[in-house]
Amino acid sequence: MRTGLVYDDRFLDHDTGPQHPERSDRLRAIVERLKRDHHWDRCLRLPVEPALVTSIQAVHDATYIEHVRATCEQGGAYVDVQDSAVCPVSFEVARLAVGGVIGAVDAVMAGLCDNAFCAVRPPGHHAERDRSMGFCLFNNVAVAAQHLISQHRLGKVAIVDFDVHHGNGTQHIFEARPDVLFISLHEHPSYLYPGTGFSWEAGQDRGEGFTINIPFDPHAGDEAYRHAFKHKVIPALDAFGPDFVLISAGFDAACDDPLAHMQLSTLGFAWMTRQLKELAERVCSGRLVSVLEGGYDLRSLAECVSAHVAVLLEEDGHDGLMGMKAGM
Amino acid sequence: MLIRDGMTRPVVTVAPEMLLPGVASMLRDNRIHQLPVVDGEGVLVGIVTDRDVRDARAVDGFDNRSVQSIMTPNPVSVRETDTLEDALLLLHRRRFGALPVVDTKNRVVGIFARHDCLRVLVEVLGLEQPGSRIELHIDKADDDLCKAVGVLGKLEASLVSAVVTREHTGEGRRVYLRLQTIDPTPARKAMQRSGLRVIEPGD
Ligand SMILES: [Zn+2]
């Protein structure tokens, strides 16, 4: 497959401090590992342009965007909460992250590549319409989903979020709408930040049924995720029939992650990736863009991302067909 | 916390002269189970429940009786400046569905019902504020609590809520802290370093 890769050295300039879990070293580790495993050169590097403020406004309040800009420019230490540390250029880097993801979905829509992975930071899925939470400034995936619907006129977009934390921002932005299916798999909200994502949060009004939350008890691993994919995630995606699949790809459900308590293996991440890739091939010509969210143990983050990208790069044909036969 | 911080207001009330069919539809339309009955000055004179109305209908059908013939006169009430403890214990021990809340002149200013307890509990536990939970087991309540608070002070961690309860099995106390951060690891580690027993999730 032709797999696009979004990465830019400028993502390293979002300086959160050396002790911060969401720091530039995460991307350095990912890039080094992708090169070592020879995936780097096989990917098509996509250009990264900063998103227009009007694009970001599709899911964020104008006053919030201005608040982020002003906080960074005035040298503020964080936006809204201490977790969301910023430096003077963080606003520009956050615009680049959003722009990178928009560029990736544009590239897939234009047929420049079949799918893409976006190694961006800051992450996005906790960012609410009007405030920052948990390291996230702008909701990269949500802006991309809205861009696909309003600019590319797609009818239905699915977002699968396997970051170990609940994707509260993405859920709240789309929970009253039937054109975006949001599925989040995460550690149970009683044990993990932010404390939302109970299974009974299932969408509102016209969006009822288009939010699916799958919380796991602490220490759940590959078996639990496999079961959830077979019985909930994939059937729901097949029934929804999206025109595009977006992944909020956090790798903090990995065994060694310091922020959570799950036991997902590298093979587990690869398996989920393959399921989603085959689903996309089945229902929307393979159109899929994966966007980095969390993952805070540098070694396992790099290893899991590498395995994830390797699956995106896999040729379809017999891999895909075998998977379909085995899965169906 | 005082009752006025947790009660529901404004409250729907009825006059003593109101006829039962009207009372029934007020209960239904507002989806409530109790109505304080007040005189012309808004002073509490009774309370009527949907059950009272149902029972009256079962016996006589709907006649032209007024609410004062079936209400409970001079019901137990609380003042808005009473503590939430008053309301919680009254509802718990006496099994009332709701308590009218009155001011110093016995005028009805709100109502505190069982579902208001749930809202208070959710607020007290900070369940609707983003945060991470840390659970501790402590033996020497005072010393260990001081230690835990000291750790939070040094980390400048933003505390959303703190609850201390009896251990259900065995001695000691269980402490539930909710911190406004995605990363409770520094706090967790600092607590362990200062000798506190941190309960791991899932244990
Ligand atoms: Zn996460």
Side-chain angles (χ1 to χ4, degrees):
Chain A
M1 300 292 267
R2 286 167 306 164
T3 295
L5 179 67
V6 169
Y7 171 78
D8 195 300
D9 282 335
R10 289 175 289 177
F11 294 147
L12 307 175
D13 297 339
H14 168 51
D15 184 2
T16 50
Q19 300 298 319
H20 197 282
E22 201 293 288
R23 56 189 185 273
S24 314
D25 285 349
R26 296 177 63 233
L27 288 190
R28 289 196 186 89
I30 287 171
V31 170
E32 188 195 336
R33 181 71 191 229
L34 287 175
K35 286 180 176 167
R36 176 146 61 93
D37 293 346
H38 307 293
H39 302 321
W40 183 261
D41 293 329
R42 294 169 63 208
C43 293
L44 174 71
R45 274 289 289 283
L46 299 172
V48 178
E49 299 285 338
L52 299 172
V53 168
T54 49
S55 305
I56 303 173
Q57 266 183 38
V59 306
H60 288 290
D61 293 348
T63 48
Y64 169 67
I65 301 171
E66 173 52 24
H67 165 60
V68 177
R69 193 198 62 76
T71 304
C72 297
E73 190 187 277
Q74 290 157 15
Y78 56 84
V79 176
D80 296 335
V81 285
Q82 273 176 304
D83 284 341
S84 301
V86 292
C87 69
V89 298
S90 293
F91 174 70
E92 291 307 324
V93 180
R95 275 181 66 198
L96 276 178
V98 177
V101 180
I102 290 176
V105 303
D106 284 344
V108 170
M109 289 306 293
L112 296 175
C113 51
D114 299 301
N115 55 38
F117 178 71
C118 307
V120 297
R121 60 185 291 274
H125 74 148
H126 292 308
E128 297 274 358
R129 190 173 282 283
D130 61 351
R131 74 194 150 121
S132 170
M133 276 174 57
F135 313 154
C136 301
L137 298 180
F138 300 133
N139 198 315
N140 305 315
V141 147
V143 176
Q146 189 55 49
H147 177 79
L148 283 164
I149 288 167
S150 28
Q151 302 302 312
H152 293 282
R153 303 275 161 213
L154 295 189
K156 289 183 276 182
V157 175
I159 304 173
V160 178
D161 183 332
F162 59 63
D163 185 282
V164 77
H165 302 94
H166 175 232
N168 58 285
T170 316
Q171 171 174 316
H172 293 146
I173 287 165
F174 295 116
E175 69 186 343
R177 289 170 46 172
D179 53 348
V180 177
L181 173 66
F182 176 65
I183 305 180
S184 183
L185 304 101
H186 45 263
E187 186 172 335
H188 193 280
S190 293
Y191 300 103
L192 205 68
Y193 182 90
T196 49
F198 292 90
S199 56
W200 40 261
E201 294 173 36
Q204 298 194 340
D205 306 324
R206 293 204 316 131
E208 204 173 323
F210 297 94
T211 293
I212 299 177
N213 280 300
I214 306 176
F216 297 107
D217 285 338
H219 310 304
D222 294 3
E223 257 325 294
Y225 278 79
R226 221 177 272 265
H227 189 269
F229 258 70
K230 277 211 173 110
H231 297 283
K232 291 182 187 156
V233 179
I234 297 299
L237 286 166
D238 268 314
F240 181 65
D243 302 310
F244 206 105
V245 175
L246 293 168
I247 305 179
S248 262
F251 297 89
D252 37 11
C255 305
D256 300 325
D257 197 274
L259 263 59
H261 321 94
M262 302 301 257
Q263 312 272 340
L264 206 51
S265 73
T266 306
L267 285 175
F269 281 108
W271 183 86
M272 289 197 296
T273 309
R274 194 170 291 116
Q275 297 295 306
L276 295 173
K277 187 185 169 200
E278 287 171 10
L279 176 281
E281 280 160 9
R282 218 160 44 235
V283 303
C284 54
S285 329
R287 293 196 290 226
L288 177 152
V289 167
S290 171
V291 183
L292 181 66
E293 300 285 358
Y296 304 100
D297 178 75
L298 298 187
R299 194 203 55 78
S300 67
L301 169 66
E303 183 178 298
C304 294
V305 167
S306 182
H308 180 65
V309 171
V311 173
L312 295 182
L313 279 162
E314 275 171 7
E315 287 308 321
D316 52 351
H318 78 261
D319 264 328
L321 285 173
M322 295 232 313
M324 272 174 74
K325 274 182 199 137
M328 293 293 110
Chain B
M1 285 170 87
L2 303 181
I3 287 171
R4 66 171 173 228
D5 301 322
M7 70 185 184
T8 294
R9 86 174 122 197
V11 59
V12 186
T13 57
V14 286
E17 302 79 26
M18 187 168 229
L19 301 180
L20 291 189
V23 175
S25 53
M26 277 186 87
L27 287 163
R28 194 179 54 240
D29 296 348
N30 291 292
R31 294 187 182 185
I32 50 180
H33 303 292
Q34 313 72 17
L35 276 171
V37 184
V38 299
D39 68 12
E41 265 75 63
V43 170
L44 179 69
V45 294
I47 192 164
V48 65
T49 69
D50 52 356
R51 174 136 192 199
D52 297 334
V53 175
R54 232 180 8 251
D55 289 351
R57 174 156 45 180
V59 175
D60 307 317
F62 260 162
D63 55 22
N64 281 336
R65 279 190 297 165
S66 64
V67 65
Q68 62 191 329
S69 67
I70 66 160
M71 71 182 188
T72 304
N74 305 316
V76 173
S77 64
V78 286
R79 288 173 306 159
E80 57 181 336
T81 49
D82 286 344
T83 62
L84 276 172
E85 285 89 328
D86 277 308
L88 292 173
L89 285 170
L90 268 170
L91 291 176
H92 177 58
R93 298 230 176 114
R94 308 270 303 265
R95 299 177 180 273
F96 295 126
L99 297 162
V101 184
V102 295
D103 64 10
T104 47
K105 293 184 173 141
N106 211 31
R107 288 177 303 209
V108 174
V109 294
I111 193 160
F112 191 87
R114 288 181 166 252
H115 60 81
D116 293 311
C117 300
L118 293 180
R119 188 178 56 232
V120 166
L121 189 63
V122 167
E123 265 172 34
V124 164
L125 295 174
L127 296 184
E128 289 181 330
Q129 316 244 13
S132 299
R133 188 167 88 178
I134 296 182
E135 233 175 292
L136 306 170
H137 169 85
I138 59 177
D139 290 316
K140 304 179 296 290
D142 305 346
D143 293 4
D144 286 350
L145 260 185
C146 282
K147 270 188 208 163
V149 171
V151 166
L152 294 179
K154 273 195 211 100
L155 289 169
E156 295 176 26
S158 182
L159 190 63
V160 175
S161 68
V163 175
V164 184
T165 61
R166 210 161 36 84
E167 285 283 7
H168 283 286
T169 51
E171 296 290 300
R173 296 268 192 277
R174 184 67 67 114
V175 182
Y176 301 87
L177 303 170
R178 195 170 175 85
L179 305 184
Q180 192 198 56
T181 178
I182 188 175
D183 184 16
T185 315
R188 195 186 290 271
K189 283 194 174 142
M191 300 222 176
Q192 278 162 340
R193 272 198 307 276
S194 63
L196 291 163
R197 205 176 114 203
V198 180
I199 311 288
E200 290 302 323
D203 286 356

